[in-house]
């Protein structure tokens, strides 16, 4: 009997139990299932899609949902379900590619200015102030206006604006960590700056940044599909949720399903990332 | 005089930020491949026009001189000429500004009307079913892109039920109120989700605070506790949050204006992009930045007025 008590008490301290703890929370679990399934759809769309997303059938144009076409067909007779499924590849890619470069650049710059402070930090502060003075979408759109529409240019534009938010968070966290004894110990021991920053401060300071990253992935899908809808992101005939909604817009009173269904995919995926983000925030918050 | 000093210090901090904002906007067009004069005057401009533009912007001078010209011109309200509108950029912007302003204020009022009561219901029933339902609905709302919310409202309330017009901005105060209701509601549904979350948390925080427990212990009626302590404190954090989410609000306005064909600054921005009207893009980007920084400043001043601790930092 006492053995069982001891092992259970032990396992709650083991690193693995954090994951078990997280999976016991319904929100995190639902989020993980949504994102897991979305990733499968994104990686193997042809396996799940019932038809070729670009197969045009002029004899079956704008058909309402049926057993043969659960989401109906679009203005060219393409199967709407297959197009929504194939869009997972682009939209899930957005969640990664629109955030990962901003994350890397932001974390590096944030850690450096947080560690060295001085003039670089002062300039950094002004740059942050200036960039957050622009509404996010306005600055991204202005950069897209210069670079031209398209997915890759959209990623560049979002990265140019988005790194600031990661850098600001990282800087604050590094400064907070510098107050700890281990940081002073590293300095006293004569470790190189690079070793202190990247081996010691960064792993300790990264938690809130990772939590923000999850939220940002949800935002990236919202932003990417908005740009697609506005005609500045992915370009038709590429299957992307925002583009699909824009294509259905002209038939919205007669073929409402064309715009409705891709939107539901956006909401579910966005919800998945936010739920994981909320779960991680609870999980990684220092206890006690 | 501490208050005045704070205001002056806050204004002084705005100067370098504003210069950097101008540098970013200046560089945007200079980074375009090709001749900036063609970008600024349009593809169809004559050689004489191009020469005049080069002269006026000092395109043959070093970059720093060019920036100085751009900077001084802008300070004098000269943002150049719009290619697509064929008039001065500043006059086009001033013409569209009231519509976007009306839309933004309307959206803010609606989101307060939606989020306020619901946040109170959620906070007072913490952990029970009304709280769960409200939070779930708003969580879903936060995952919806603004253009999608707009499209749904447009389809069902305007196109199908014909309760509202499908586009335009209306005349007079009540005309605008009617025409801009759905576009404002679209933005409000999104911003109210942000506000609700924070307002609920801050109400709970105040409810748990010792001075509220004390007020309860000394027998103050619930109505007085909620009205005098909880509401007032929750209001401060809400207005601060509203101020800080002005960027989100403006981004939302841009999208909603496109969905509902509202002739405001956001729709103008998109038209300018598709027309490659770079002077107008520059002018609009600057206008949005100015609007945001004014709201940031007002938020800061409001906070320091209500919370004297702010002035010390």
């Amino acid at each position: 009997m006492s053995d069982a008590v001891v092992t259970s008490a032990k396992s709650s301290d083991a690193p693995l139990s954090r994951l078990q703890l997280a999976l016991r929370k319904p929100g995190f679990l639902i989020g993980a299932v949504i994102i897991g399934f979305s990733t499968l759809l994104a990686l193997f769309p042809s396996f799940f899609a019932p038809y070729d997303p670009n197969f045009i059938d002029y004899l079956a144009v704008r058909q309402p949902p049926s057993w043969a076409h659960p989401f109906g067909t679009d203005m060219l007779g393409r199967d709407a379900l297959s197009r929504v499924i194939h869009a997972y590849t682009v939209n899930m890619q957005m969640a990664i590619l629109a955030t990962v470069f901003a994350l890397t650049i932001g974390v590096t710059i944030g850690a450096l200015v947080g560690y060295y402070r001085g003039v670089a930090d002062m300039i950094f502060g002004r740059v942050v102030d200036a960039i957050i003075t622009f509404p996010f979408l306005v600055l991204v759109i202005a950069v897209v206006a210069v670079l031209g529409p398209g997915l890759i240019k959209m990623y560049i534009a979002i990265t140019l604006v988005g790194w600031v938010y990661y850098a600001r968070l990282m800087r604050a966290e590094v400064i907070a960590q510098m107050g700890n004894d281990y940081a002073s110990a590293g300095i006293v021991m004569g470790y190189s700056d690079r070793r202190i920053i990247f081996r010691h401060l960064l792993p300790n300071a990264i938690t809130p940044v990772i939590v923000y990253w999850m939220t940002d992935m949800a935002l990236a899908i919202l932003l990417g599909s908005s740009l697609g809808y506005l005609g500045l992101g992915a370009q038709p005939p590429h299957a992307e949720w925002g583009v699909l909604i824009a294509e259905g817009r002209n038939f919205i009173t007669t073929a409402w399903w064309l715009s409705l269904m891709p939107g539901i995919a956006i909401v579910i995926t966005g919800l998945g990332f936010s739920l994981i983000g909320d779960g991680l925030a609870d999980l990684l918050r220092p206890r006690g | 005089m501490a208050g005045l000093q704070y205001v002056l210090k806050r204004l002084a901090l705005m100067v370098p930020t504003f210069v950097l904002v101008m540098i970013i906007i200046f560089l945007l067009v200079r980074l375009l491949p090709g001749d900036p004069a063609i970008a600024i005057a349009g593809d169809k401009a004559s050689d004489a026009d191009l020469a005049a533009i080069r002269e006026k912007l000092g395109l043959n001078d070093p970059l720093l001189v060019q920036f100085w010209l751009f900077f001084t011109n802008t300070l004098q309200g000269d943002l150049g000429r719009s290619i697509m509108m064929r008039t001065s950029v500043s006059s086009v912007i001033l013409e569209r500004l009231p519509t976007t302003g009306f839309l933004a204020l309307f959206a803010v009022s609606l989101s307060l009307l939606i989020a306020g009561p619901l946040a109170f219901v959620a906070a007072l029933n913490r952990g029970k079913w009304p709280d769960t339902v409200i939070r779930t609905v708003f969580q879903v709302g936060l995952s919806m892109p603004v253009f999608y919310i707009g499209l749904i409202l447009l389809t069902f309330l305007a196109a199908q039920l014909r309760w509202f017009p499908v586009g335009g901005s209306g005349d007079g105060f009540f005309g605008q109120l009617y025409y801009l209701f759905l576009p404002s509601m679209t933005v409000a549904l999104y911003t109210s989700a942000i506000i609700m979350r924070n307002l609920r948390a801050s109400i709970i925080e105040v409810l748990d605070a010792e001075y509220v427990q004390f007020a309860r212990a000394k027998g103050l009626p619930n109505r007085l506790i909620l009205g005098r302590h909880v509401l007032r404190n929750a209001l401060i954090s809400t207005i601060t949050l509203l101020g800080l989410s002005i960027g989100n609000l403006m981004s939302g306005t841009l999208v909603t204006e496109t969905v509902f064909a509202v002739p405001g600054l956001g729709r103008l921005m998109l038209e300018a992009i598709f027309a490659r009207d770079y002077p107008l893009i520059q002018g609009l980007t600057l206008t949005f930045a100015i609007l945001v920084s004014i709201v940031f400043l007002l938020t800061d001043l409001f906070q320091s007025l209500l919370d004297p601790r702010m002035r010390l930092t």
Side-chain angles (χ1 to χ4, degrees):
Chain A
M1 281 302 275
S2 63
D3 272 8
V5 174
V6 170
T7 37
S8 74
K10 247 185 193 166
S11 69
S12 74
D13 290 337
L16 199 102
S17 73
R18 286 199 155 188
L19 188 67
Q20 291 171 334
L21 212 70
L23 291 178
R24 235 174 272 157
K25 292 199 168 182
F28 186 85
L29 188 65
I30 296 171
V33 169
I34 292 175
I35 296 310
F37 191 61
S38 305
T39 311
L40 280 181
L41 287 172
L43 292 175
F44 313 105
S46 307
F47 178 77
F48 293 96
Y51 301 93
D52 177 349
N54 296 313
F55 179 73
I56 293 172
D57 181 1
Y58 288 115
L59 296 175
V61 172
R62 274 182 277 141
Q63 286 187 346
S66 63
W67 285 111
H69 299 283
F71 287 9
T73 61
D74 71 0
M75 61 283 176
L76 298 176
R78 296 174 291 194
D79 178 54
L81 173 64
S82 301
R83 291 184 66 71
V84 169
I85 291 177
H86 274 266
Y88 267 94
T89 311
V90 179
N91 290 86
M92 289 296 282
Q93 179 202 330
M94 269 174 198
I96 310 282
L97 292 186
T99 57
V100 77
F101 301 110
L103 171 88
T104 320
I105 297 170
V107 162
T108 313
I109 293 183
L112 290 176
V113 294
Y115 182 75
Y116 287 109
R117 307 296 294 271
V119 185
D121 191 35
M122 268 172 60
I123 296 173
F124 172 77
R126 294 303 102 197
V127 171
V128 169
D129 275 357
I131 292 185
I132 61 170
T133 301
F134 297 98
F136 196 95
L137 188 64
V138 169
L139 193 53
V140 168
I141 284 184
V143 177
V144 170
V146 171
L147 300 174
L151 270 181
I152 294 181
K153 288 157 180 170
M154 181 185 94
Y155 294 144
I156 297 175
I158 296 178
T159 305
L160 280 177
V161 184
W163 69 270
V164 169
Y165 296 84
Y166 288 98
R168 197 167 56 155
L169 203 58
M170 191 65 195
R171 172 187 171 276
E173 204 55 34
V174 164
I175 290 174
Q177 291 291 333
M178 292 279 284
N180 288 336
D181 288 342
Y182 78 87
S184 336
I187 295 170
V188 172
M189 306 254 292
Y191 287 168
S192 68
D193 287 354
R194 210 169 76 184
R195 181 164 175 183
I196 297 174
I197 297 172
F198 292 102
R199 297 268 303 273
H200 298 279
L201 289 171
L202 200 134
N204 282 298
I206 200 106
T207 308
V209 180
I210 298 295
V211 172
Y212 175 71
W213 186 28
M214 292 295 134
T215 324
D216 197 32
M217 287 210 236
L219 290 177
I221 292 180
L222 292 188
L223 184 64
S225 58
S226 300
L227 288 171
Y229 175 84
L230 296 174
L232 299 170
Q235 300 293 311
H238 222 97
E240 188 274 331
W241 294 329
V243 171
L244 293 180
I245 293 174
E247 282 176 355
R249 181 182 40 186
N250 298 326
F251 316 102
I252 194 131
T253 47
T254 51
W256 48 267
W257 55 87
L258 288 178
S259 289
L260 189 75
M261 298 308 186
I264 293 176
I266 297 178
V267 174
I268 292 177
T269 318
L271 208 56
F273 279 115
S274 327
L275 287 174
I276 291 188
D278 287 352
L280 276 184
D282 279 351
L283 192 70
L284 299 173
R285 192 176 297 146
R287 279 172 287 182
Chain B
M1 277 297 97
L4 184 70
Q5 243 176 13
Y6 176 78
V7 173
L8 289 177
K9 203 177 131 193
R10 181 66 181 68
L11 283 173
L13 264 177
M14 276 179 81
V15 175
T17 308
F18 184 70
V19 173
L20 261 167
V21 163
M22 295 287 290
I23 291 177
I24 293 172
I25 293 172
F26 170 77
L27 285 179
L28 264 180
V29 170
R30 292 304 184 282
L31 290 176
L32 275 171
D35 186 351
I38 295 179
I40 283 162
D43 299 333
K44 297 178 194 94
S46 67
D47 284 346
D49 283 347
L50 290 181
I53 295 246
R54 283 200 191 94
E55 182 63 29
K56 189 188 161 205
L57 299 179
L59 287 182
N60 301 320
D61 297 327
L63 212 59
L64 264 176
V65 179
Q66 289 182 37
F67 176 70
W68 179 247
L69 270 170
F70 172 73
F71 191 71
T72 46
N73 280 341
T74 306
L75 284 187
Q76 288 162 18
D78 179 4
L79 296 165
R81 277 179 73 81
S82 159
I83 302 168
M84 103 188 154
M85 304 298 221
R86 295 168 185 283
T87 48
S88 81
V89 167
S90 41
S91 70
V92 181
I93 290 177
L94 284 178
E95 192 190 307
R96 303 279 191 112
L97 186 62
T99 307
T100 299
F102 192 96
L103 178 55
L105 284 177
F106 198 2
V108 167
S109 325
L110 284 176
S111 47
L112 279 176
L113 282 176
I114 299 169
L118 289 177
F120 259 94
V121 172
L124 293 176
N125 293 290
R126 192 184 342 170
K128 297 188 199 125
W129 69 265
D131 185 28
T132 316
V133 170
I134 291 171
R135 288 170 70 193
T136 312
V137 169
F138 276 101
Q139 181 79 47
V140 173
L142 264 183
S143 310
M144 265 192 204
V146 171
F147 70 90
Y148 189 61
I149 303 178
L151 217 52
I152 291 176
L153 293 182
L154 181 74
T155 309
F156 291 106
L157 299 182
Q160 300 276 3
L161 295 170
R162 296 180 189 282
W163 289 354
F164 295 97
V166 289
S169 64
D171 295 317
F173 180 74
F174 290 102
Q176 285 199 315
L177 218 52
Y178 177 54
Y179 271 81
L180 295 180
F181 178 76
L182 282 189
S184 309
M185 196 63 182
T186 304
V187 182
L189 285 179
Y190 178 73
T191 42
S192 64
I194 307 176
I195 297 171
M196 207 295 289
R197 246 185 165 178
N198 287 270
L199 189 54
R200 176 186 170 276
S202 76
I203 294 173
I204 287 178
E205 198 185 307
V206 178
L207 280 175
D208 288 347
E210 279 179 354
Y211 66 86
V212 170
Q213 285 178 3
F214 175 69
R216 204 161 266 162
K218 85 179 174 189
L220 269 187
N222 217 9
R223 180 175 44 86
L224 266 184
I225 296 176
L226 287 182
R228 195 163 289 171
H229 295 292
V230 179
L231 188 68
R232 186 176 296 177
N233 278 291
L235 211 62
I236 297 177
S237 69
T238 305
I239 291 184
T240 308
L241 181 73
L242 263 178
L244 294 179
S245 17
I246 173 75
N248 279 328
L249 187 76
M250 284 294 149
S251 299
T253 322
L254 191 152
V255 176
T256 206
E257 282 182 4
T258 320
V259 174
F260 288 92
V262 175
L265 295 178
R267 202 166 97 103
L268 190 63
M269 175 95 181
L270 264 142
E271 288 168 356
I273 285 173
F274 287 114
R276 299 181 169 276
D277 189 343
Y278 291 106
L280 191 52
I281 295 173
Q282 280 186 315
L284 283 165
T285 313
L286 179 68
T287 309
F288 278 115
I290 291 175
L291 287 178
V292 171
S293 49
I294 291 175
V295 173
F296 277 179
L297 178 70
L298 289 178
T299 312
D300 251 26
L301 296 183
F302 170 82
Q303 238 187 341
S304 72
L305 204 71
L306 286 184
D307 191 346
R309 283 171 302 183
M310 283 289 298
R311 279 176 234 151
L312 297 174
T313 51

